[in-house]
């Protein structure tokens, strides 16, 4: 019986000192934004600097215990024993002198970055050499691991703390934001029964099916059996064009977080969302392939984790909005890399300003005479170069929609408050997208919902 009582106790009543590190962390969008900000700027994260020193001390303490055990319990030759004693002196010096002083300077904001901590420890190496009378070569091996030990302290909405290594920050944030988007898209309000098959409706194919069923043009009604949706097994190429111009530096969140921070988090969340979706579908191939296209001076395509990490770390809100150049980059990338395939392409544009750098190269298609006439006859505060860019975007979008080689879909998100609807820029943007798509307004202060809005408005499972 006693052994059964012990078994039941261990199985159902855990020890109160058990490590709850595996408990699911509940991070909100605002928390993720703060973590990303610390990761992008090491000057902001005092906890990351303290974490560096604490982890160095922990590593040194473990090494001291291991060396002492080896010296007491292992038969060693004289040379090996002398090397271990030398290492023991180094670790003791670091724990008793270097690291405590470094921690004090961090608390006084005199050591701001891991580089500052590295220089401080290098100075102490010189003192160590003077104290022991010879060069301590083994001490330098500890410094090479400094970057690997840098971490960031995170806190969830319940106040629980956790430290995350810098190399794991993007994985933690990506999974958090990706799952947040999944939760948001799965909690849609149900107003009525949706009897049709799930998926994005193909309007032309649906209309054609209704014509064939009724033998009338136009068909009097469209029934459920007429509806045609996107084949879920088709691979879709998704290009998320993100505005990183100067106007994205505006602060919209508490704590000094900007529109750029929100756009970067949305990019990261969508990237992981499609990775999670691909794994859930369990196809032989990835159903969605996500690309990120920053609107920089020379737009480029991000299609792997290494490029994404570099962009998220180095992105700055600067320069003008070369939106036409970014769309042209997408078209060239698709036709260069997927020439032999007719995969569907979804272009998603996120901008808060206005395109203001006309494209100087060749644009396929022809300008829309109705849009040209609209801009000529309608008075507007929109600058001339912006209207010129709008004409070019309209021409390019219309050419893509009429393309016979593959299906192109366009989504256009404007990051602006609700009052922006009364501006000339919004009216001109709406005219530019007439017959193509509609501009979708996103309040910058509610950008945590942007990822879910993109999925709901532009992409279906």
């Amino acid at each position: 019986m006693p052994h059964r009582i012990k078994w039941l106790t261990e199985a159902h009543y855990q020890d109160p000192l058990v490590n709850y590190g595996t408990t699911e962390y509940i991070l909100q969008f605002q928390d993720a934004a703060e973590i990303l900000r610390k990761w992008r700027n090491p000057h902001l994260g005092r906890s990351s600097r303290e974490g560096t020193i604490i982890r160095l001390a922990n590593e040194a303490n473990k090494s001291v215990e291991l060396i002492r055990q080896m010296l007491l319990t292992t038969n060693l030759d004289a040379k090996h024993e002398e090397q271990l004693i030398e290492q023991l002196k180094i670790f003791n010096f670091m724990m008793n002198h270097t690291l405590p002083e470094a921690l004090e300077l961090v608390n006084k904001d005199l050591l701001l970055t891991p580089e500052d901590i590295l220089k401080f420890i290098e100075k102490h190496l010189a003192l160590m050499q003077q104290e022991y009378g010879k060069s301590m070569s083994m001490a330098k091996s500890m410094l090479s691991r400094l970057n690997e030990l840098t971490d960031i302290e995170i806190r969830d909405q319940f106040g629980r703390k956790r430290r995350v290594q810098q190399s794991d920050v993007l994985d933690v944030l990506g999974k958090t934001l990706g799952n947040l988007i999944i939760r948001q898209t799965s909690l849609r309000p149900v107003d009525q029964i949706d009897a049709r098959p799930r998926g994005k409706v193909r309007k032309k194919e649906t209309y054609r099916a209704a014509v064939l069923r009724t033998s009338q043009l136009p068909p009097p009604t469209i029934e459920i059996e007429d509806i045609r949706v996107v084949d879920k097994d088709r691979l879709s190429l998704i290009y998320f064009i993100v505005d990183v111009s100067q106007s994205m530096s505006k602060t919209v969140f508490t704590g000094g977080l900007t529109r750029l921070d929100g756009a970067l988090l949305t990019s990261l969340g969508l990237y992981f969302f499609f990775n999670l979706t691909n794994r859930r579908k369990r196809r032989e191939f990835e159903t969605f392939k996500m690309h990120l296209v920053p609107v920089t001076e020379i737009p480029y395509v991000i299609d792997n984790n290494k490029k994404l990490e570099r962009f998220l770390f180095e992105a700055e809100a600067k320069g003008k909005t070369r939106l036409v150049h970014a769309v042209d980059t997408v078209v060239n990338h698709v036709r260069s890399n997927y020439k032999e395939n007719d995969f569907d392409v979804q272009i998603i544009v996120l901008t808060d300003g206005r395109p203001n750098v006309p494209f100087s190269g060749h644009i396929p298609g022809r300008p829309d005479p109705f849009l040209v006439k609209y801009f000529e006859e309608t008075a507007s505060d929109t600058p001339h170069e912006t209207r010129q860019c709008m004409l070019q975007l309209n021409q390019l979008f219309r050419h893509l929609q009429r393309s016979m080689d593959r299906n192109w879909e366009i989504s256009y998100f404007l990051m602006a408050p609700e009052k922006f609807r009364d501006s000339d820029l919004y009216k001109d943007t709406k005219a530019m997208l007439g017959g193509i798509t509609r501009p979708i307004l996103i309040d910058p202060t509610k950008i945590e919902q942007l990822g879910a809005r993109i999925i709901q408005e532009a992409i279906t499972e």
Side-chain angles (χ1 to χ4, degrees):
M1 287 296 295
H3 66 281
R4 293 183 181 178
I5 294 175
K6 183 176 185 298
W7 175 75
L8 285 171
T9 304
E10 289 182 345
H12 299 281
Y13 301 97
Q14 297 183 359
D15 180 56
L17 299 179
V18 69
N19 180 14
Y20 289 98
T22 57
T23 303
E24 182 182 1
Y25 243 55
I26 309 298
L27 290 174
Q28 299 299 323
F29 190 88
Q30 186 76 18
D31 302 324
E34 186 63 29
I35 295 170
L36 180 68
R37 193 181 180 206
K38 288 181 178 180
W39 179 78
R40 281 167 47 82
N41 187 352
H43 292 267
L44 298 175
R46 174 181 289 183
S47 61
S48 67
R49 292 173 265 145
E50 293 174 348
T52 298
I53 297 173
I54 291 172
R55 293 198 58 168
L56 280 172
N58 186 44
E59 292 288 327
N61 185 54
K62 290 180 180 178
S63 300
V64 167
E65 293 179 359
L66 180 61
I67 291 172
R68 286 176 176 171
Q69 289 180 3
M70 292 182 65
L71 290 174
L72 293 174
T73 61
T74 309
N75 292 325
L76 304 170
D77 56 68
K79 184 178 180 180
H80 193 188
E81 185 175 343
E82 183 178 352
Q83 290 177 348
L84 290 177
I85 292 174
E86 180 181 341
Q87 292 180 36
L88 189 61
K89 291 180 180 179
I90 294 169
F91 288 123
N92 281 327
F93 186 90
M94 297 283 284
M95 292 171 60
N96 296 329
H97 301 282
T98 306
L99 298 180
E101 292 184 28
L103 186 60
E104 182 179 356
L105 294 176
V106 163
N107 291 328
K108 294 180 179 179
D109 281 337
L110 298 178
L111 297 178
L112 297 177
T113 66
E115 290 76 17
D116 294 338
I117 299 174
L118 179 63
K119 292 178 181 178
F120 176 79
I121 295 177
E122 286 177 343
K123 291 181 180 179
H124 266 242
L125 288 181
L127 297 176
M128 192 185 306
Q129 181 176 348
Q130 294 175 8
E131 180 170 334
Y132 295 121
K134 60 180 180 179
S135 175
M136 296 295 181
S137 58
M138 295 301 299
K140 296 181 180 179
S141 63
M142 284 190 62
L143 302 182
S144 64
R145 300 193 319 217
L146 182 61
N147 291 332
E148 300 175 5
L149 297 176
T150 303
D151 62 0
I152 294 177
E153 182 180 274
I154 64 176
R155 186 192 301 264
D156 71 355
Q157 63 175 346
F158 299 109
R160 294 175 298 191
K161 296 181 181 179
R162 179 178 294 179
R163 292 187 179 274
V164 180
Q165 292 187 23
Q166 270 201 327
S167 58
D168 297 332
V169 167
L170 289 187
D171 286 336
V172 171
L173 291 182
K175 291 175 183 177
T176 298
L177 295 168
N179 284 308
L180 176 63
I181 293 175
I182 289 176
R183 291 197 301 270
Q184 289 174 337
T185 53
S186 64
L187 296 177
R188 303 178 187 177
V190 180
D191 299 323
Q192 59 184 2
I193 297 175
D194 189 2
R196 69 172 176 80
R198 294 187 65 189
K200 185 168 184 177
V201 175
R202 288 294 188 192
K203 298 178 182 178
K204 292 181 180 179
E205 287 77 2
T206 299
Y207 186 81
R208 187 180 297 113
V211 170
L212 293 174
R213 179 181 58 81
T214 61
S215 300
Q216 297 183 39
L217 187 64
T221 60
I222 294 179
E223 304 296 339
I224 294 176
E225 59 266 26
D226 299 328
I227 295 179
R228 301 292 183 266
V229 297
V230 177
D231 181 3
K232 298 180 190 178
D233 292 329
R234 279 183 62 83
L235 186 145
S236 297
L237 306 174
I238 300 163
Y239 289 84
F240 186 32
I241 299 177
V242 182
D243 185 357
V244 292
S245 61
Q246 180 64 39
S247 57
M248 292 291 283
S249 62
K250 294 180 181 178
T251 301
V252 293
F253 299 105
T254 56
L257 300 176
T258 65
R259 295 181 179 183
L260 176 64
D261 295 323
L264 295 180
L265 286 166
T266 300
S267 304
L268 182 60
L270 286 174
Y271 200 88
F272 273 77
F273 169 83
F274 288 113
N275 287 338
L276 292 170
T277 303
N278 288 331
R279 288 199 294 270
R280 288 186 175 191
K281 287 184 177 292
R282 298 182 179 180
R283 309 293 189 195
E284 294 182 0
F285 56 87
E286 294 183 346
T287 307
F288 300 106
K289 187 166 180 59
M290 175 74 180
H291 306 78
L292 188 64
V293 185
V295 184
T296 56
E297 185 174 355
I298 303 178
Y300 60 99
V301 176
I302 297 172
D303 54 5
N304 59 56
N305 292 344
K306 188 173 182 181
K307 288 183 181 179
L308 176 65
E309 180 176 351
R310 182 175 179 181
F311 164 69
L312 292 175
F313 189 79
E314 298 177 353
E316 296 181 47
K318 63 179 182 180
K320 296 185 176 182
T321 309
R322 292 174 168 81
L323 200 53
V324 190
H325 300 69
V327 176
D328 181 71
T329 299
V330 169
V331 175
N332 292 332
H333 187 269
V334 171
R335 291 177 175 169
S336 298
N337 294 274
Y338 304 100
K339 185 177 182 180
E340 304 300 326
N341 308 95
D342 63 343
F343 302 144
D344 294 344
V345 180
Q346 177 78 46
I347 298 178
I348 304 167
V349 178
L350 174 64
T351 178
D352 76 326
R354 62 198 74 189
N356 49 24
V357 181
F359 187 69
S360 58
H362 170 70
I363 297 178
R366 296 180 180 180
D368 182 2
F370 297 100
L371 186 62
V372 173
K373 184 178 180 181
Y374 169 82
F375 283 157
E376 289 177 351
E377 297 180 352
T378 306
S380 174
D381 294 334
T382 306
H384 173 73
E385 62 272 11
T386 297
R387 284 190 158 194
Q388 184 65 30
C389 292
M390 288 182 175
L391 283 170
Q392 293 180 342
L393 284 172
N394 175 271
Q395 179 178 336
L396 189 52
F397 288 157
R398 288 170 65 245
H399 171 77
L400 294 177
Q401 283 202 325
R402 295 173 180 176
S403 176
M404 300 299 294
D405 60 340
R406 66 182 75 244
N407 294 319
W408 296 80
E409 296 291 337
I410 315 295
S411 298
Y412 202 94
F413 289 83
L414 283 170
M415 196 185 304
E418 189 64 27
K419 63 181 181 181
F420 183 73
R421 293 185 187 274
D422 299 327
S423 67
D424 290 339
L425 180 57
Y426 179 81
K427 296 174 183 177
D428 290 344
T429 302
K430 189 175 181 180
M432 173 192 74
L433 299 174
I436 300 171
T437 185
R438 59 187 178 87
I440 303 170
L441 210 60
I442 293 290
D443 190 336
T445 60
K446 300 178 181 178
I447 200 173
E448 68 273 6
Q449 302 171 6
L450 174 59
R453 285 290 303 276
I454 288 175
I455 302 301
Q456 293 174 4
E457 295 282 351
I459 303 160
T460 56
E461 296 180 358

